[in-house]
Amino acid sequence: MHTEGVEERTYEDGLPQWFVRSECRGCGLKVGVDLPAGQMGGLIDRLTWTDEALHRLDRMPPYLAPLVREEVEQDVRARGERVVAYDTLLRPRTGERIVWDPEAERRLDNVPAPVRAMARVELERTAAERGSARITVSLMEEVKAKYFGMGAQKA
């Protein structure tokens, strides 16, 4: 069986699930199996991106997507994983997931689209380097001041 794709789902119990689609290349039989997220049970035969992660990657600027893809795949292989999930893209290479304050997320929406993905990556990298798992407005102002000299100090 060859893995054709993986979908991320959440069911009534709130636990994340993967729906793994596979196909037999010999006879053409197609099957789908629900699994708890992270437990591939030998059903995934190669490094595979979930549909949701691919959608996120496809929305990145064309000059950034190949760089992100390479870095994420290296990280996933180094961890012995086979699935790049949506959360994997959000996970800094330290292995933790970065959480955004709601106000910081709203401010990121105001960043021009061509640089929004780069800003997100830089903010998350900066937070991870500092050992923080949260993006705040004050961190955004600090990074803005560092790169553009325009950080407005707010009380």
Side-chain angles (χ1 to χ4, degrees), residues 29-92:
L29 175 71
K30 294 183 180 191
V31 279
V33 178
D34 276 318
L35 301 169
Q39 298 179 10
M40 54 195 130
L43 293 174
I44 300 174
D45 62 349
R46 60 190 167 85
L47 181 66
T48 304
W49 287 63
T50 65
D51 297 343
E52 292 75 11
L54 278 174
H55 177 72
R56 174 104 179 181
L57 185 70
D58 289 343
R59 294 180 65 208
M60 291 183 183
Y63 53 86
L64 183 62
L67 300 172
V68 170
R69 176 179 217 115
E70 182 179 333
E71 181 180 329
V72 167
E73 287 181 355
Q74 284 177 355
D75 181 59
V76 167
R77 283 188 183 102
R79 295 171 187 274
E81 299 171 0
R82 286 195 176 171
V83 176
V84 177
Y86 183 81
D87 277 350
T88 307
L89 287 173
L90 303 178
R91 174 180 74 193

Side-chain angles (χ1 to χ4, degrees), residues 2-6 21-23 25 30 45-46 48 51:
H2 176 72
T3 306
E4 292 295 314
V6 179
R21 300 182 314 270
S22 299
E23 178 180 13
R25 290 191 170 165
K30 294 183 180 191
D45 62 349
R46 60 190 167 85
T48 304
D51 297 343

Side-chain angles (χ1 to χ4, degrees), residues 14-25:
L15 297 174
Q17 298 275 316
W18 288 344
F19 181 73
V20 179
R21 300 182 314 270
S22 299
E23 178 180 13
C24 174
R25 290 191 170 165

